[in-house]
Amino acid sequence: MSGALLQALHTVVSRDVDPLESGVISLCGIEGGSLDGFAIIPDEVKISGTVRSLEEHVRSSIESSMLRICRGIGQTFGGEVSLDYERLFPVTRNAKDSAELVASSVVALWGHDRLAEEVAPSMGAEDFSFMLDRCPGAYFFLGSGKDEGSFPLHSAYYDFNDEIIPLGIELMVKIALDSLDDKA
């Protein structure tokens, strides 16, 4: 049943989300049974993962679809499937003025060629979104890759580039000072 559920849940975005909108379902963990009990069917299997979207109505649609599929798979296989869907993080949305301040600070420090302007929205979940819900601001990325072969964040092989720390500090100070200048 868990194999069928995994496969069915991965169809939600392609079947139930408008292709002009964004949604992601990542089923990242599965736990059930024992490797020592190779011929014993487990009583319970747990699957965990994350849902990401840029719009709240897409998130609601995905949740409804997942619930429908869980019920259907349970009925189909004569078992019980429950869905514990927690909305942990809201979408991270930058305030336009704050994003422009960050961009101008980057350009002032390092030149226009060091600013990545055309960046697609990120489907990452970020607790900074709670701050942005209460106070306008901007969440930005400070590139930390050493070369083309660097592994991305969340990779098991990721190695933080310590050389980026002084640049990050310099940029944060510049943003703070530019922000004070804007308020004066």
Side-chain angles (χ1 to χ4, degrees), residues 3-166:
L5 182 60
L6 287 168
Q7 190 172 21
L9 289 173
H10 275 121
T11 68
V12 168
V13 172
S14 64
R15 300 284 181 232
D16 297 343
V17 174
D18 183 329
L20 300 178
E21 296 189 286
S22 298
V24 173
I25 297 175
S26 295
L27 302 173
C28 303
I30 184 167
E31 181 181 289
S34 168
L35 294 178
D36 295 332
F38 61 88
I40 300 170
I41 298 171
D43 288 339
E44 183 176 283
V45 173
K46 292 183 179 182
I47 300 170
S48 66
T50 184
V51 169
R52 315 253 174 111
S53 65
L54 299 175
E55 301 294 337
E56 193 59 38
H57 72 273
V58 173
R59 189 183 308 199
S60 294
S61 171
I62 290 173
E63 180 180 8
S64 296
S65 297
M66 290 177 72
L67 185 58
R68 183 189 76 243
I69 287 171
C70 287
R71 288 179 180 150
I73 293 290
Q75 277 187 321
T76 299
F77 289 92
E80 184 180 320
V81 179
S82 62
L83 176 65
D84 179 15
Y85 189 102
E86 296 180 63
R87 291 174 185 246
L88 298 176
F89 303 102
V91 174
T92 304
R93 293 196 190 282
N94 286 341
K96 184 177 181 189
D97 291 348
S98 300
E100 289 171 354
L101 174 70
V102 170
S104 68
S105 297
V106 168
V107 171
L109 278 177
W110 303 313
H112 198 269
D113 63 318
R114 297 283 298 272
L115 177 66
E117 290 183 273
E118 300 300 320
V119 179
S122 169
M123 296 298 280
E126 177 54 52
D127 58 1
F128 191 69
S129 60
F130 293 114
M131 303 261 298
L132 293 178
D133 277 353
R134 296 194 182 265
C135 179
Y139 183 83
F140 61 91
F141 294 98
L142 179 65
S144 64
K146 292 181 182 179
D147 53 46
E148 290 294 322
S150 295
F151 291 96
L153 187 63
H154 301 295
S155 164
Y157 305 102
Y158 176 75
D159 181 26
F160 182 79
N161 179 1
D162 294 313
E163 296 170 12
I164 200 73
I165 294 171

